[in-house]
């Protein structure tokens, strides 16, 4: 019913102006699906390998397309992704590139949903998935690898945990973004925006947190529900020869853990991603023991607990996640399909996480396109949170898709 009949690949622009891979898949019965690969800047060392778009496309045309056309059904996602893996032949997808792989994998899902006449989230998640919505974590101030001359911590996130709907949550994050801009202007701080549309002022992390705390309080009073704060420290980018190097100081592992624990307590953080470097399973376990808990978004105010999330630590990889689960490292996993190259692998990581009591957080990359697949993935997996920026066309593409999903539009 969904036999793949045609595949096309091309280079298109991403939000940084770099070329990325777009895939089209056609099936019998008129199915059509299109998807694009995103691209990271603060990539984890253990991610699947992205190849230059031109090379990834040439390799995929040669190796993967013949194994798809007339061979597999787009609606059978595991077969599609197994064919991609077999065509590639490496563990890290370095033959066809994780960028070609993920674009093809996601395009197949879109094509199958098209044949079925079902929205993608329903095709992926089924009819009996949960009926909650993912709370968007809004990146409103950022530095690190996403903006030069700004904060050391990569992302300062607004988390509208008390929002009664996706729509309210989305507009709340935009309001926090605007309030942060106003507060920075009041302080006489000029700010451009970074790769994900977050403000990138030349202030230190503690000032960024105090500006965000003020913005969150203002907006929270206005909207009448709780907004908490999260961070993506992206600590692997700060880590250098055994220590964490900040602009004005250096922290040893124990100092870094104490620093994070203090931030969690002081700001009642709901979420802290990659507080330690990508090989530090033990430290993650200790920190999780200390501050970890499972906040319940969508249930209103008063919930406490902090998600300690592994992004570069796990790279959406079931084996790395399994090691984390065995050691008690983190209690949450960031899920980025392009880190692992296929939807099947992203789903497997998500399922493994949920089975172990870890919260999955579906995520964009700093380099994005108008692709909306992750919005559907977050709904399909009933993820409590989604990280997909706050403003800017490639970010709003996902946020607006979440609103449409909520409205059955
Ligand atoms: P990246 O950053 O897409 O540049 O890797 C996002 C993140 O670290 O979460
Ligand atoms: Zn991250």
């Amino acid at each position: 019913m969904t036999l793949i009949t045609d595949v096309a690949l091309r280079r298109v622009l991403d939000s940084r102006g770099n070329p990325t891979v777009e895939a089209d898949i056609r099936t019998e019965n008129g199915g059509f699906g299109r998807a694009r690969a995103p691209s990271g800047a603060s990539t984890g060392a253990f991610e699947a390998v992205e190849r230059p778009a031109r090379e990834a496309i040439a390799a995929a045309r040669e190796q993967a397309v013949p194994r798809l056309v007339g061979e597999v059904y787009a609606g059978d996602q595991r077969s599609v992704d197994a064919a991609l893996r077999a065509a590639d032949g490496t563990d890290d997808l370095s033959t066809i590139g994780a960028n070609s792989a993920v674009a093809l994998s996601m395009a197949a899902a879109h094509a199958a949903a098209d044949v079925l006449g079902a929205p993608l989230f329903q095709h992926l998640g089924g009819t009996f998935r949960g009926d909650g919505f993912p709370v968007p974590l809004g990146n409103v101030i950022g530095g690190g690898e996403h903006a030069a001359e700004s904060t050391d911590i990569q992302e300062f996130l607004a988390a509208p945990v008390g929002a009664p709907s996706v729509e309210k949550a989305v507009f709340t994050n935009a309001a926090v973004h605007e309030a942060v801009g106003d507060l920075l202007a009041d302080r006489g701080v000029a700010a451009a925006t970074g790769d994900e549309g977050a403000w990138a002022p030349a202030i230190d992390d503690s000032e960024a947190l105090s500006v965000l705390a003020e913005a969150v309080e203002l907006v929270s009073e206005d909207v009448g529900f709780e907004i908490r704060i999260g961070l993506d420290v992206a600590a692997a980018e700060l880590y250098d020869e055994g220590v964490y190097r900040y602009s004005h100081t250096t922290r040893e592992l124990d100092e870094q853990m104490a620093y994070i624990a203090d931030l969690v307590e002081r700001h009642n953080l709901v979420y802290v991603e990659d507080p330690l470097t990508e090989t530090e399973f033990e430290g993650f376990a200790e920190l999780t023991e200390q501050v970890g808990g499972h906040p319940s978004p969508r249930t209103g105010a008063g919930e406490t607990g902090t998600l300690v999330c592994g992004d570069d630590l796990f790279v959406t990889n079931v084996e790395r996640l399994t090691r984390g689960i065995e050691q008690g490292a983190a209690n949450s996993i960031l899920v980025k399909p392009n880190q692992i190259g296929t939807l099947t692998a992203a789903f497997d990581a998500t399922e493994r996480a949920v089975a172990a009591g870890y919260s999955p957080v579906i995520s964009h990359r700093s380099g994005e396109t108008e692709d909306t697949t992750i919005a559907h993935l977050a709904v399909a997996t009933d993820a409590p949170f989604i990280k997909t920026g706050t403003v800017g066309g490639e970010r709003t593409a996902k946020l607006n898709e979440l609103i449409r999903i909520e409205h059955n539009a």
Side-chain angles (χ1 to χ4, degrees), residues 58-71:
R61 281 189 184 131
E62 195 176 312
Q63 310 288 339
V65 173
R67 288 180 184 251
L68 295 173
V69 175
E71 298 290 330

Side-chain angles (χ1 to χ4, degrees), residues 42 146 154-155 196 231-235 271 273-274 309-312 334 336 339 363-365 387:
S42 76
H146 294 166
Q154 181 177 284
E155 298 167 24
E196 295 183 359
L231 298 175
D232 180 2
V233 182
Y271 177 85
E273 179 182 326
D274 284 352
C309 184
D311 170 13
D312 294 345
L334 205 68
K336 293 168 163 170
Q339 274 183 333
S363 174
H364 65 164
R365 302 305 304 250
K387 226 175 72 159

Side-chain angles (χ1 to χ4, degrees), residues 137-144 150-159 176-177 180 196 198-199 201 203-213 228-233 259 263 267 269 271 390:
L137 293 168
N139 184 6
V140 291
I141 305 175
S150 185
T151 53
D152 289 322
I153 290 177
Q154 181 177 284
E155 298 167 24
F156 297 77
L157 305 155
V176 174
H177 187 274
V180 165
E196 295 183 359
W199 297 110
I203 56 178
D204 64 19
D205 294 343
S206 103
E207 188 173 3
L209 269 164
S210 80
V211 169
L212 178 54
R228 284 174 68 189
I229 291 175
L231 298 175
D232 180 2
V233 182
Y259 172 58
L263 291 181
H267 297 280
L269 298 182
Y271 177 85
T390 307

Side-chain angles (χ1 to χ4, degrees), residues 51 72 111 127 209 264 326 370:
R51 294 193 64 190
V72 293
T127 267
L209 269 164
V264 166
E326 281 163 11
E370 61 275 31

Side-chain angles (χ1 to χ4, degrees), residues 6-14 20-26 32-38 57 77 80-81 84 98-112 120 124 337-338 341-343 368-374 376 398:
D6 192 36
V7 175
L9 290 154
R10 66 185 68 83
R11 295 194 318 151
V12 295
L13 275 175
D14 79 5
T20 190
V21 178
E22 177 170 272
D24 289 356
I25 287 188
R26 289 178 197 279
F32 175 74
R34 174 173 288 166
R36 286 153 285 261
I57 288 170
Q77 191 70 44
V80 171
D81 294 339
L84 291 172
N99 38 346
S100 273
V102 81
L104 287 163
S105 178
M106 299 193 305
H110 281 279
L120 181 61
L124 294 174
N338 84 317
T342 65
L343 277 179
E368 267 294 342
T369 69
E370 61 275 31
D371 195 278
T372 61
T373 310
I374 60 163
H376 289 268
K398 285 81 164 163

